[in-house]
Amino acid sequence: MANLKDIRDRIKSVKNTRKITEAMRLVAAAKVRRAQEQVLRSRPFADRLSRILENLQSRMRFEEADAPLMEQRTVETITLVAITGDRGLCGGYNANIIKRTEQRFAELKGKGFNVKLVLIGSKAISYFTNRDYPIQAKITGLEQVPTADEANTIATDMLAEFTAAGTDRVEMVFTKFINLVSCKPVLQTLLPLDPQDIADPEDEIFNLTTDQGRLTVEPGTSSANKAPKIPSDIVFEQSPDQLLNALLPLYLQNQLLRCLQESAASELASRMTAMNNASDNAKELAKTLTLDYNKARQAAITQEILEVVGGSAAAAG
């Protein structure tokens, strides 16, 4: 009977765990919808800004402009920015970014570059701090849905570091949100900016919707490639320097905001998937334990019956 009690206690524990994971799945599902909507709302502006810069590149000689954000110099120091979450329980989301950052760090050090880390998220900070990496800055406590003010603060620090020649290149390691079950770590160079390759062709969109009370994923459309061309008869009063110095900082801030938004949506989607898998596993484990409990209980009852029958036979004999 002690064994039966242990099984009952474990069944109760598994069911309680399932309630927790199911609640976390529902919370993540609600938040990932908001994060996805924010990503979709920000994409039209980012796409239009990218196309404007592309069109200006075709009309003006940017290579001759004196723009600090486009300054190409001999690379000696590289700042590597890694974006992870502040919490766990989201599958391999944090581990994949940490692994990709370690690989890139080793690759750059192997080529003789001086590498500094800027870490966003408690998980990256905890991991790299304990392993004695050269950390330049640590950033935590960002909103679950990143804001433009947060992106502006980080972008301003990066811009100041780059223009002061404290670093020669800034690379971002973040998780690109593809759909609710697919995210991938990507590497993007933020500084110096290159107008020749300023558009982002990867804008695969999947919308989270409900169908008869169940979450479903439907493919959406991107606003990329919809910006009109600048008419050839337009005359710009400003010089290329003035145009670039006005647009490029805005573009840098927007790119950083998109990286933060993509990472936030990826984290929530990974957490929702992980909690859904945990709930399913808890349900299956509870079924298995219930079956084991019924078998053990049946065996105990059978044993008691045999003992009663055996005692009765001995008394009759």
Side-chain angles (χ1 to χ4, degrees):
M1 294 303 295
N3 184 42
L4 290 177
K5 183 178 183 304
D6 292 340
I7 297 177
R8 280 200 306 269
D9 291 342
R10 193 175 179 198
I11 291 175
K12 183 178 179 180
S13 176
V14 169
K15 288 183 177 180
N16 289 336
T17 301
R18 187 190 173 200
K19 290 180 181 179
I20 295 173
T21 57
E22 185 64 16
M24 294 182 67
R25 183 189 71 83
L26 294 175
V27 171
K31 289 183 176 180
V32 77
R33 185 193 293 269
R34 289 178 52 207
Q36 177 181 259
E37 289 174 352
Q38 188 185 46
V39 170
L40 298 183
R41 285 197 303 267
S42 68
R43 279 177 174 172
F45 175 77
D47 293 335
R48 181 61 62 90
L49 183 58
S50 297
R51 298 302 167 185
I52 289 175
L53 288 171
E54 269 192 320
N55 290 337
L56 288 175
Q57 164 66 13
S58 66
R59 294 283 310 280
M60 311 180 76
R61 303 178 64 181
F62 280 179
E63 62 274 9
E64 297 181 0
D66 182 18
L69 292 182
M70 294 173 54
E71 181 183 356
Q72 300 288 340
R73 51 180 180 250
T74 303
V75 178
E76 296 180 356
T77 302
I78 297 176
T79 299
L80 200 56
V81 184
I83 303 178
T84 63
D86 289 331
R87 296 183 298 164
L89 298 177
C90 50
Y93 168 78
N94 292 314
N96 291 337
I97 286 294
I98 290 173
K99 181 179 178 181
R100 184 69 181 92
T101 303
E102 278 190 313
Q103 291 175 346
R104 184 58 177 169
F105 183 91
E107 179 183 344
L108 294 175
K109 292 293 288 186
K111 294 180 179 179
F113 295 113
N114 178 30
V115 186
K116 299 182 292 186
L117 293 179
V118 173
L119 305 176
I120 302 176
S122 298
K123 292 300 179 179
I125 293 173
S126 175
Y127 182 88
F128 288 104
T129 300
N130 293 334
R131 285 159 180 79
D132 200 26
Y133 277 79
I135 301 175
Q136 177 182 348
K138 303 176 183 179
I139 302 171
T140 58
L142 298 182
E143 295 291 336
Q144 186 71 68
V145 180
T147 63
D149 290 337
E150 293 172 334
N152 183 49
T153 300
I154 300 173
T156 300
D157 293 339
M158 291 182 181
L159 179 57
E161 181 76 8
F162 182 77
T163 54
T167 185
D168 302 309
R169 192 165 77 210
V170 178
E171 297 183 355
M172 178 80 71
V173 183
F174 68 101
T175 306
K176 184 171 181 61
F177 178 77
I178 300 176
N179 56 43
L180 294 178
V181 295
S182 179
C183 305
K184 65 177 182 179
V186 296
L187 180 69
Q188 177 179 335
T189 299
L190 286 182
L191 293 170
L193 294 175
D194 182 8
Q196 300 285 354
D197 189 30
I198 212 159
D200 180 11
E202 284 190 53
D203 255 351
E204 187 177 11
I205 299 175
F206 289 81
N207 298 321
L208 176 63
T209 61
T210 55
D211 181 13
Q212 298 180 353
R214 300 188 53 146
L215 293 174
T216 60
V217 179
E218 296 181 354
T221 58
S222 172
S223 60
N225 301 318
K226 293 183 180 180
K229 294 285 186 181
I230 295 179
S232 58
D233 58 349
I234 287 183
V235 177
F236 295 98
E237 294 182 358
Q238 297 84 359
S239 66
D241 294 357
Q242 292 175 315
L243 290 173
L244 287 177
N245 289 331
L247 291 177
L248 290 181
L250 181 62
Y251 178 77
L252 174 64
Q253 176 187 341
N254 184 263
Q255 285 294 98
L256 183 57
L257 178 60
R258 290 192 67 181
C259 292
L260 294 174
Q261 290 174 341
E262 298 270 359
S263 297
S266 299
E267 179 185 358
L268 291 169
S270 298
R271 180 170 291 111
M272 185 182 70
T273 301
M275 292 301 99
N276 183 66
N277 293 337
S279 297
D280 292 342
N281 292 337
K283 181 179 180 181
E284 292 300 321
L285 181 57
K287 287 182 179 180
T288 302
L289 290 173
T290 300
L291 182 60
D292 293 341
Y293 175 80
N294 291 335
K295 289 181 179 179
R297 184 168 178 270
Q298 184 177 6
I301 294 174
T302 302
Q303 182 64 30
E304 291 177 0
I305 293 175
L306 291 176
E307 290 176 357
V308 171
V309 173
S312 299

